Structures are given as C-alpha cells and as structure tokens.
Amino acid sequence: MSEIAEKVKAIIIDKLGVEESEVTPEASFTNDLGADSLDTVELIMEFEKEFNVSIPDDQAENIATVGQAVSYLEEHAK
Amino acid sequence: MELKRVVVTGLGALTPLGNTVSEYWNGLKNGVSGAAPITRFDASKFKTQFACEIKGYDPENYFDRKEARKMDLFSQFAMVVADEAVKDARLVEDNIDLDRIGVIWGSGIGGLRTFQEECVNFANGDGTPRFNPFFIPKMIADISAGHISIKHGFRGPNFVTVSACASATNALIDSYNYIRLGMADVIVSGGSEAAVTEAGVGGFNALKALSERNDSPETASRPFDADRDGFVLGEGAGAIILEEYEHAKARGAKIYAELISGAMSADAYHITAPHPEGRGAFMVMKNVLEQSGINPEEVDYINVHGTSTPLGDLSEVKAIKQVFGEHAYNLNISSTKSMTGHLLGAAGAIEAIASILAIQHNVVPPTINHFTDDENLDSRLNLTFNKAQEREVKVALSNTFGFGGHNTSVLFRQLKD
C-alpha cells in the first residue's frame, strides 16, 4: 500500500471511528462506514490539510469511496 | 381551562461535588468545596487560577470516541445528566408516548471551547477558511436539547433558553408552563455549562467578577462573608424531569416534589451590576409567591443566587427582607455556590436539585466558608453558615439572576394530594 493510502486509511479510522478491517478500497464513506454528510465534509478537509491540496467541491462530490480518495490524492498531492 | 399540576419525577447531576445526584447531595450536606487549581488549561498567567471543575470525567465512559468528538463538553454534560434523570424517572421502562416528551434546556454560553479553538485555528492560518463542519453545530447552545432528543427519540417541544446565569431556571419555568397548558406530559429540563476555558476565565476576570484568592481556592467562594471577592467559576450540569401530576400518578412514578410556581422579572438597570436595592429580585420573589397562592410564611428555605460578589449578595438579602418581612428571620437561607462555585447557565438546575433534595431529606445544605461577619448584613438572618441544618423543609424557593438583569425564581413544595 502506498504511503498516501496508509495516511488516508489512518484519517478515516480516526474521524469515522471505524475498524481498520472495514476500510477497504471499495468501502463507501456513507453506505459502509457510517459517515453522514458533515462527516464527509470533514474527511475532505482533513485530506486537504494532510496532503496540502485544495479539492474543489465538484471534484469532492466524486470522492465517495476509500479507493476514490486514494486515487484522487495520488494524482493531486504535492 | 384548568391548568395542570407539575411534579418532579427524575434527577441527574454532574457537579464539582460529584458526578451523580447522590454524590452531589453527599457533598452538599457535608459542606465540601469543589474548588481546585484549573486543570483544563495552563492558567499561570491568569488573575484567577482555580475553578470548580468536574472531577474524574472521562468522555469515553459515556460516549464512543466519534460521538464525543462531535459534542462540546457542555453538550456531553447535558447528555450525561439527562441519561441519569431519564433512568431515574423510568421514562423508557414505562413506555411513555415519545411525542409527548419535550426537552427544554438552559445554557448561558454554549460551546465556548469549540468557539475559541476554531477562531484560534483560523487566526493562526493564512486566511484560508478551514472551519470544521461541526464547528457551528458543536457551538450553538441549543444543540444540547437537540442531542438529548435525538438520543432518546423525544419528539415534544425542544429548545434552549439563554439568559446568562438564569438560563436553567428559565428552562424550568418554560417547561412548567408548557406542561401546565397541556402541551407535553413530560419535559426533560435543566442546564449545562462548560466555560472553564481561557476565554471564559479571561473574560470574567476582565469584568472583575471572579475571586482571585489563588492561595486558597477552597475558601474563595464565600457568599455573605465580609471578605468575599467575587465568584468562583464552575462547570457541570443538572437535569430535572418535570411531569404532569396525573400522568406521574397513573404510572406510579416516584415523585420528589411539586413545582408550584415560577416567575421572572428584569432589573432594567445595568448589563452586569445588580440593582443596588434588589428591585428586580424583590419583584421576582413577590411574583413567584403570589402566583403560587401560598403565604410567604410557608416558605422554609431559600437557595439564593448568592454568588459571593460584594454587591450581589447584599441586594438579594435586601430583597428577601422586603418580601418576607419578619418571616425572613425564620427562614433558612443558603448559597450552595459556596461549595459548587457558579455554574452560570447550569446554576439554576443544580440549585433546583439542591432545593428539591432539601425537601426530600429535610436538611438544608450550608453556606460554607463563613469566617467574618459582614456588618452590612443583618445578623439575625439564618444564612446556614458552615454546617448543614436539619429542619422540616416543606417549601423551598430557588433564585437565579443573570447578566442582563434577568431574574428568575421557582418554588418547590413537598407533594400534597
């Protein structure tokens, strides 16, 4: 697993209070990991802070699973 | 339309003297001080370096980590005491219609720590707004009532009253009136506050409102003592389940006392100073008695606002003498803030509980830390100095007054059929 993927996983575990085993690439934040709309906003903000990126709202809407977050950040992280 | 009667059927407390109602009462009757050096932040540069904090509170004993992170401490406190009171009143076991249970809570300030932290984070950044999405819903005072209703499914009237240090008493009075009018069968009322933060202590220090007796925190809250020098900031919460009398009787609920009256008034005088003659305090006590229909001579105990400030204590006593005349000398009067410190918007809740428990146990909790008589106070008054006093308490009055000149009083009576 890439360093980015590791960090993404750690943030999700911390913010959503889920078990590590639940954080699979296919896991959806809202359907599988119990996030509500505010949790999702908070996650995106944590990703922005951790990886020093700015994720525009229209792109954030497409980040619904763990895997989607990792690929977006692998592409855009500085 | 005939107004309904309102009784108390459950209690919950999280106070500087103890984290349950029974621990709180033990502290009260034994005259324990809840004051100690501040642990919530480094107060070494502050004029006041002590407070009445909750002891041994670990959110993980009550919430999962994710849940706790989304709640300011004042909401956590609200949830904890509401749980204790709901269990005490057996609301769940007795399968009460959730549409008929409301939550009317009080908080003077709301999520002060959350507000402070988010503003500090922004100020330390480069101007890019990165406010947490939970910032607003953690901070707003009314969220406490929202959380309680969400957890328990109570779908009746739901809001929070804000009147500084009178907040929780306003919540009790509103709850009382809604039940009297038949708008709910049960209301979870009370108040919570968690303002022991840099902004809270610094702000009250700037007002010169706090005691600065750093060499002796436990004797700093000394209402009616000649050397009192301000109040001691406290934190915590109290919950009181108010219920329509016939409803409580029908389900065989344990009834602590009856709430027979609640009144409000304004000083219309100054933003922080009390009226020097206690005009608003006089009016609120006069009104609470008149509305109840009882005679002033029936009151046994007054749990006063008595914050240990030079001006406030004097004006309240003047008002008591004016309202009660000769009977003022037969009353037991005490300020339990001498032990708990001043819980601001939660004060009215924990002091109502002290008054209810005084009725239940026939014990008047003391005004501790009396060392020197104040020559401006009438020495014939029984201010219940230093030790609890046994006495039959049939009727207890609880006063709370708030910055802005808000005055509130509630009157509890031993239940009569």
Side-chain angles (χ1 to χ4, degrees), chain B residues 334-354:
Chain B
S334 78
S335 170
T336 44
K337 286 189 182 79
S338 58
M339 297 173 274
T340 63
H342 189 357
L343 272 64
L344 308 179
I350 67 161
E351 289 163 22
I353 293 172

Side-chain angles (χ1 to χ4, degrees), chain B residues 9 25 51 73 82 93 109 172 216 240 262 288 346 357:
Chain B
T9 57
W25 179 247
L73 210 49
E93 294 84 341
I109 304 186
L172 289 171
S216 182
I240 294 152
V288 85
L357 293 175

Side-chain angles (χ1 to χ4, degrees), chain A residues 13-16 34 38-39 41-42 45 48, chain B residues 65-66 69-70 129-134 137:
Chain A
I13 291 167
D14 177 49
K15 294 294 171 193
L16 301 184
L38 295 179
D39 292 317
V41 175
E42 194 186 30
M45 288 181 55
E48 290 184 325
Chain B
R65 204 173 49 82
K66 183 186 166 201
R69 217 168 46 76
K70 294 181 185 177
R130 292 190 186 282
F131 289 94
N132 189 289
F134 296 103

Side-chain angles (χ1 to χ4, degrees), chain B residues 28-52:
Chain B
L28 284 177
K29 72 175 184 207
N30 292 318
V32 175
S33 165
I38 288 172
T39 64
R40 296 213 177 276
F41 64 93
D42 175 6
S44 55
K45 290 187 178 164
F46 285 68
K47 282 185 186 155
T48 298
Q49 298 170 1
F50 59 94
C52 287

